[in-house]
Amino acid sequence: MIIPIIGLLLGILIGLLSPVTIPVQYSTYMSVAILAALDSVFGGIRSSMEKIFNIQIFISGFFGNAILAAILTYIGDQLGVPMYYAAIFAFGVRLFQNFAIIRRYIFSGHKKN
Amino acid sequence: MKNFKFQIAMAIVCIVLGVMISVQFKTVRSGIGTVSEYRARQLSSELKKVREERDALLNQKSEYEKKIREYENTASQGSNSAKMLKAELDNARILAGLEDVEGPGVTVIVDDLSLSESLGYLLISYTDLLEIVNDLNAAGAEAISINGQRFTARTEIREAGNYININTEKLSAPFVVKAIGNPDTLQGALLIRIGIVERLQKKNVQVTIKQEQNLKIIKYNGILQRQYSKVINEGEKQ
């Protein structure tokens, strides 16, 4: 479990030290993409605990969800409908659900073993 | 083996996530941050209102000016001295930049070809514009405007961030300088050796000078105010 945490810290460092910033008008896209990525991470942890982790599903879910969320946001922007709410809602609900299942696996798993 | 694969995949995803989080964090912290849609709408409606108000006031101003002209005309129809006063007043107005004028002259287009954006600083400095105006005045220009802003005795040309302020109006390249006067003299003054045009061209600024027979220069759109200066009446002392 230590490698992903190192990866996260490394990523944050890269982001902070690099001079890259995104224009303010695209920050909605970025926040939705971050939410999608967070959802994938929790989903990955959950599936690994259920021992059904599949790397292809995990990676395609990570990038696919982020891109789909960004496209939804773009379409919503063009139509004047805040469609990214749908993405935020779906990812948010899934995130908490996955987290709840992870908690159950951790605590009940320890008891079983 | 499966656990190792999982950890590597997770690490890659976490690196991407970390980069996204920190870039977003920097973006939100660096600028004004995200403006909510509601606030943006509010601001744009306020802007619209203020613009409408400004246009209404400008209309009112030109109406009042028209009325003043009418009063002057009726007043000057009476006596001969009033007629002379009116002629003098018109002349002073033209020279002060309070009238639209037309006549022969030159149009100077100073364009940085959008190089300033990639360089990160203004390629055309305010001193360049001042020098152009200075040279034109030295060559006997009677009326000068830059991007539609009439150059009056009170006009400033100064740098303000990424813009150049003229008559407190934010302007940016390309600058179109119009001047009424003898076209040949005006063009000659700018094209003098080691003059402003040659120096600008060395900086990769495109300068185009066109002689024109019928140039229109609009009036100064603000109000010239006087608060501190008083006329010295030497005639009374003597």
Side-chain angles (χ1 to χ4, degrees):
Chain A
M1 209 52 229
I2 200 82
I3 300 175
I5 292 171
I6 292 171
L8 184 64
L9 292 177
L10 187 73
I12 290 175
L13 265 182
I14 292 172
L16 283 181
L17 296 179
S18 69
V20 182
T21 52
I22 46 166
V24 172
Q25 65 263 39
Y26 296 123
S27 78
T28 323
Y29 294 78
M30 200 61 169
S31 47
V32 172
I34 287 173
L35 203 58
L38 262 179
D39 169 65
S40 302
V41 169
F42 276 89
I45 294 170
R46 177 192 162 184
S47 63
S48 86
M49 286 184 158
E50 288 174 343
K51 305 246 186 293
I52 54 163
F53 179 77
N54 179 327
I55 192 159
Q56 279 151 356
I57 290 176
F58 178 63
I59 295 291
S60 69
F62 175 73
F63 290 107
N65 279 348
I67 291 167
L68 183 64
I71 290 173
L72 262 186
T73 311
Y74 175 75
I75 295 171
D77 262 2
Q78 300 306 307
L79 297 178
V81 183
M83 248 145 75
Y84 63 94
Y85 284 171
I88 289 178
F89 187 71
F91 290 137
V93 167
R94 274 240 308 261
L95 212 146
F96 282 107
Q97 228 166 31
N98 282 338
F99 183 59
I101 291 166
I102 290 165
R103 276 186 297 127
R104 275 173 187 75
Y105 271 111
I106 288 173
F107 291 117
S108 61
H110 276 297
K111 266 179 212 160
K112 264 182 212 163
N113 295 336
Chain B
M1 195 56 214
K2 192 149 195 192
N3 194 37
F4 181 70
K5 232 188 196 172
F6 159 72
Q7 292 221 342
I8 292 300
M10 203 59 131
I12 293 168
V13 166
C14 278
I15 289 174
V16 177
L17 181 63
V19 171
M20 287 203 292
I21 287 176
S22 48
V23 166
Q24 172 80 345
F25 177 73
K26 265 198 312 194
T27 308
V28 171
R29 276 235 335 218
S30 64
I32 32 167
T34 49
V35 181
S36 77
E37 206 177 324
Y38 175 70
R39 180 86 183 126
R41 250 181 231 161
Q42 208 179 3
L43 287 174
S44 75
S45 80
E46 255 170 54
L47 179 67
K48 201 179 152 201
K49 219 190 285 170
V50 173
R51 272 206 187 126
E52 273 167 12
E53 242 166 67
R54 183 200 63 185
D55 290 344
L57 285 172
L58 277 178
N59 277 342
Q60 212 174 0
K61 178 177 168 267
S62 60
E63 241 169 67
Y64 285 148
E65 273 172 0
K66 235 183 253 167
K67 240 178 228 172
I68 291 175
R69 291 296 137 76
E70 273 169 31
Y71 290 146
E72 280 169 4
N73 281 336
T74 46
S76 67
Q77 270 162 8
S79 65
N80 229 351
S81 60
K83 251 179 219 163
M84 274 164 69
L85 272 176
K86 171 81 170 75
E88 211 167 300
L89 187 62
D90 284 345
N91 195 25
R93 273 222 187 91
I94 290 167
L95 292 177
L98 298 174
E99 293 276 5
D100 293 351
V101 286
E102 60 178 3
V106 290
T107 308
V108 186
I109 300 168
V110 187
D111 195 349
D112 65 352
L113 306 170
S114 304
L115 278 173
S116 294
E117 272 172 45
S118 49
L119 284 171
Y121 64 89
L122 287 181
L123 197 59
I124 303 166
S125 130
Y126 71 101
T127 51
D128 297 333
L129 291 181
L130 273 174
E131 272 187 68
I132 290 174
V133 170
N134 205 20
D135 284 349
L136 289 172
N137 269 330
E142 285 168 16
I144 298 173
S145 80
I146 303 172
N147 284 13
Q149 289 301 320
R150 182 69 173 267
F151 190 84
T152 71
R154 300 284 303 277
T155 297
E156 86 289 2
I157 297 182
R158 58 199 300 265
E159 208 159 313
N162 285 328
Y163 301 94
I164 291 179
N165 270 10
I166 300 177
N167 285 344
T168 67
E169 220 37 70
K170 274 192 207 166
L171 302 178
S172 55
F175 297 103
V176 181
V177 184
K178 289 181 183 172
I180 288 181
N182 183 332
D184 290 326
T185 319
L186 293 176
Q187 191 174 15
L190 292 174
L191 288 176
I192 200 164
R193 264 175 72 105
I194 331 178
I196 178 64
V197 171
E198 207 177 307
R199 269 177 286 144
L200 276 173
Q201 277 166 348
K202 267 187 196 150
K203 282 204 291 186
N204 284 330
V205 174
Q206 193 186 57
V207 185
T208 328
I209 303 177
K210 248 191 304 180
Q211 292 198 7
E212 290 191 47
Q213 284 316 307
N214 203 359
L215 200 62
K216 252 189 199 159
I217 294 185
I218 58 164
K219 65 184 177 197
Y220 173 59
N221 223 348
I223 297 161
L224 291 174
Q225 271 181 329
R226 176 178 63 87
Q227 195 181 353
Y228 297 106
S229 23
K230 279 182 198 145
V231 175
I232 304 171
N233 251 333
E234 292 207 26
E236 279 175 13
K237 278 181 199 162
Q238 279 166 357

